[in-house]
Amino acid sequence: MGNSKKNSVAIILLNWNSYKDTYECLKSLENLAYESFHVFVVDNASTDHSYEKLVKDGELGVFRSEVTFIQSGGNLGFAGGNNVGIKQAYELGYDYIWLLNNDTTVDEHSLSTLIAVIDKDERIGIVGSKIYFADTNLLWFAGGQVNYYSGSTHHVGYKKKDKGQYDEIKQVQYIVGCSLLFRRELIESVGYLEEDYFLYYEDTDWNIRASRKGWDILYVPQSIVYHKVSSSSSSKDVAPFFAYYNIRNAYLMIQRHEGKVAQFSAAIHVIWKVIEYLARMIVKNQEGKRRRSYLIMLGALDGFRERIGKKELQAK
């Protein structure tokens, strides 16, 4: 199933135990004004029969878009699962590949506006959308910033009301993997997503590598995506494993890309982050304090020991 259409796009959706989200995302893609696209749903060995349900829907013609279903065979994490889809799309000759979170819905012009921008200049390697918290006018992402001395990342506009203040196409330090479109030549230049992060920071790492190879990275506010995350909670309130990967991977990213001064600064920041997470756990009286504390400390230790990959996160 080679692809010969100009500016053809492969859309990669990663499913893991989330039938409803993936179904709704697929249905929203049917309304895209852009026509030359094909969807690849990669399933990371779901255990809730969501993959089988989606495949059956596809066989019954429930989805108007062209969809290929791929079983990755294991829980490969964000990078591993997406890489399965990216490799297939690349081999089939697609000009552009759009990584899209399965818990999103898209505006009808979200894809055409990204293509219009990236197609203007061959130096543009990555473009990304303006992303809202679903069913609100609160922003989740309007461009990404990286602190190269701590490893911390920041979503421009996070939780701010959109008053048009982020409506300019601009160069940014990174585009989040929730809605990230790139040209196929990026694979030849930079390679695939680093799978050993398993979760979090693999997209930031990839953007850094692309930037240092000379690619431009642009935020395109005319492309609008809605992300089903709660606007009332902080990222620090979510599942305990978030803290483990967040602490570990921020430090590992600096280790890989920066010099000794930044590495030392990032190590200090790890200690500060541990204190912050522990204090937040106590103040907010979060559940599972023993497990949370263990994973927070382990994230720091594994970062310093450069232990990578998926972690079997059982509390001791």
Side-chain angles (χ1 to χ4, degrees):
M1 194 193 79
N3 193 76
S4 58
K5 291 180 185 174
K6 185 180 184 300
N7 290 350
S8 55
V9 181
I11 303 175
I12 314 293
L13 300 184
L14 188 60
N15 180 70
W16 188 68
N17 293 341
S18 48
Y19 170 79
K20 185 171 184 286
D21 282 345
T22 304
Y23 177 91
E24 289 175 359
C25 184
L26 282 165
K27 293 305 284 183
S28 84
L29 292 173
E30 294 176 356
N31 299 318
L32 286 173
Y34 197 83
E35 291 182 358
S36 183
F37 72 90
H38 187 100
V39 187
F40 294 83
V41 174
V42 180
D43 184 76
N44 258 350
S46 292
T47 55
D48 67 344
H49 303 294
S50 55
Y51 179 67
E52 291 80 4
K53 288 182 197 170
L54 290 163
V55 170
K56 188 170 185 183
D57 286 343
E59 290 169 349
L60 293 171
V62 170
F63 307 118
R64 294 201 307 272
S65 311
E66 292 181 3
V67 186
T68 297
F69 296 93
I70 306 169
Q71 177 52 251
S72 75
N75 187 1
L76 308 182
F78 178 87
N82 272 298
N83 278 345
V84 169
I86 293 169
K87 284 170 185 171
Q88 184 152 334
Y90 178 81
E91 287 164 7
L92 289 169
Y94 285 87
D95 298 310
Y96 299 106
I97 299 170
W98 188 17
L99 303 185
L100 187 66
N101 267 28
N102 71 319
D103 62 348
T104 60
T105 56
V106 302
D107 175 80
E108 63 179 317
H109 301 296
S110 55
L111 179 53
S112 53
T113 47
L114 291 176
I115 294 295
V117 171
I118 199 170
D119 196 40
K120 279 181 185 171
D121 190 336
E122 290 183 355
R123 291 171 299 181
I124 303 171
I126 297 173
V127 289
S129 310
K130 177 192 280 186
I131 306 173
Y132 293 94
F133 286 96
D135 304 321
T136 73
N137 71 336
L138 292 179
L139 291 161
W140 185 76
F141 182 84
Q145 297 173 335
V146 183
N147 184 324
Y148 292 101
Y149 286 93
S150 68
S152 295
T153 58
H154 172 66
H155 288 196
V156 174
Y158 183 70
K159 288 192 177 180
K160 291 185 178 175
K161 284 187 178 177
D162 188 3
K163 298 175 181 174
Q165 69 272 50
Y166 303 110
D167 281 356
E168 186 183 335
I169 296 172
K170 61 176 183 176
Q171 291 245 24
V172 292
Q173 290 176 310
Y174 77 96
I175 291 296
V176 72
C178 180
S179 174
L180 181 157
L181 185 139
F182 64 95
R183 63 175 69 241
R184 65 177 286 110
E185 290 82 2
L186 210 71
I187 297 299
E188 296 150 19
S189 165
V190 180
Y192 293 92
L193 291 159
E194 289 284 2
E195 297 183 14
D196 57 11
Y197 285 98
F198 186 69
L199 202 60
Y200 308 126
Y201 282 92
E202 59 282 281
D203 50 356
T204 313
D205 174 283
W206 202 55
N207 277 262
I208 290 171
R209 286 190 282 139
S211 178
R212 291 182 182 179
K213 287 280 189 177
W215 293 100
D216 288 342
I217 299 168
L218 266 60
Y219 157 71
V220 182
Q222 293 76 23
S223 172
I224 292 170
V225 168
Y226 300 92
H227 190 201
K228 297 175 192 168
V229 282
S230 172
S231 59
S232 62
S233 64
S234 161
S235 59
K236 295 184 179 72
D237 294 330
V238 297
F241 67 79
F242 171 89
Y244 171 83
Y245 287 114
N246 184 264
I247 292 169
R248 186 194 76 173
N249 290 350
Y251 180 73
L252 287 173
M253 186 179 73
I254 298 301
Q255 281 283 99
R256 289 176 175 181
H257 295 293
E258 302 300 324
K260 295 293 182 190
V261 173
Q263 289 175 22
F264 177 76
S265 172
I268 299 297
H269 189 72
V270 165
I271 295 164
W272 171 250
K273 225 179 209 179
V274 167
I275 294 166
E276 183 189 8
Y277 271 111
L278 291 172
R280 189 179 188 90
M281 179 187 72
I282 294 163
V283 170
K284 290 220 161 192
N285 195 25
Q286 292 172 339
E287 293 177 5
K289 291 185 178 59
R290 187 177 167 205
R291 176 171 165 75
R292 281 183 189 272
S293 302
Y294 167 71
L295 292 175
I296 289 164
M297 302 299 288
L298 188 64
L301 286 171
D302 280 358
F304 293 145
R305 294 182 293 200
E306 296 185 48
R307 292 192 175 173
I308 55 180
K310 183 183 179 184
K311 190 76 178 179
E312 296 304 326
L313 297 175
Q314 264 74 47
K316 298 283 172 80

